[in-house]
């Protein structure tokens, strides 16, 4: 992927235009493919800025877990705070990707002016996104139903994208 710099969990967070990929992370106990590689590719395809876009992923490079839970949470909190935009993509599946932490993160970030919400209507449990969609609309947060549209909404918030 050209035009982007993929920064994974607990790696140094560079300055410059960036998008944090918020949403459920597949658990090793119920392995399913991650949605984040497709999100990074979609952002790369749409990015037109002069400098590289940093895509911040809370997933670990090579699957290497954090030494401490707090280390991971602190990195994710710092990365969301540093991001130009926070792309929430919630293909909720209560069995494999319940997104409980995502609910809290969205509540923390909804009023920042940097959040966008993507909720695919064909995910296994779309009814569980209803509250987030309602809250997003109350706060003027863009709500999208495809990853392509969610990426475009996030990039609209990033300085330097033409």
């Amino acid at each position: 992927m050209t035009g982007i710099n993929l920064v994974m969990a607990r790696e140094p967070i560079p300055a410059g235009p960036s998008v944090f990929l918020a949403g459920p992370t597949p658990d090793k106990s119920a392995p399913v493919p991650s949605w984040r590689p497709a999100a990074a590719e979609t952002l790369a395809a749409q990015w037109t800025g002069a400098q590289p876009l940093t895509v911040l992923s809370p997933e670990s490079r090579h699957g290497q877990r954090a030494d401490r839970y707090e280390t991971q949470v602190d990195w994710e909190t710092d990365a969301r705070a540093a991001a130009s935009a926070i792309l929430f993509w919630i293909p909720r599946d209560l069995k494999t990707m319940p997104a409980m932490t995502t609910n809290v993160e969205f509540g923390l970030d909804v009023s920042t002016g940097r959040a966008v919400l993507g909720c695919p209507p064909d995910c296994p449990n779309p009814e569980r996104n209803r509250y987030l969609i309602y809250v997003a609309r109350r706060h003027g947060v863009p709500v999208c139903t495809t990853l392509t549209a969610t990426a475009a909404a996030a990039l609209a918030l990033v300085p330097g994208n033409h």
Side-chain angles (χ1 to χ4, degrees):
M1 287 178 285
T2 58
I4 70 162
N5 172 26
L6 182 61
V7 173
M8 305 292 282
R10 300 173 316 281
E11 295 176 353
I13 302 166
S18 60
V19 175
F20 182 89
L21 300 179
T25 298
D27 192 297
K28 288 183 179 180
S29 65
V32 295
S34 173
W35 57 270
R36 288 189 176 92
E41 289 174 17
T42 302
L43 288 165
Q46 295 182 26
W47 177 248
T48 59
Q51 60 181 318
L53 174 72
T54 296
V55 176
L56 301 162
S57 173
E59 293 184 30
S60 300
R61 196 173 296 276
H62 310 299
Q64 187 169 357
R65 305 286 291 195
D67 57 341
R68 296 176 54 239
Y69 178 75
E70 296 82 1
T71 303
Q72 178 72 22
V73 173
D74 289 346
W75 184 90
E76 289 184 29
T77 301
D78 293 345
R80 289 190 349 266
S84 307
I86 307 164
L87 184 158
F88 283 87
W89 180 248
I90 309 177
R92 195 180 305 271
D93 183 333
L94 293 179
K95 292 181 180 145
T96 60
M97 290 199 292
M100 298 305 168
T101 302
T102 301
N103 291 340
V104 175
E105 291 172 343
F106 186 75
L108 292 169
D109 296 334
V110 69
S111 62
T112 63
R114 297 178 294 117
V116 300
L117 178 63
C119 296
D122 60 348
C123 70
N125 296 108
E127 73 282 0
R128 298 296 183 171
N129 287 332
R130 189 173 138 202
Y131 182 76
L132 295 183
I133 292 167
Y134 178 79
V135 169
R137 289 186 173 136
R138 280 189 57 108
H139 285 270
V141 169
V143 177
C144 306
T145 58
T146 68
L147 192 53
T148 300
T150 308
L155 291 176
L157 300 174
V158 178
N161 194 38
H162 304 132

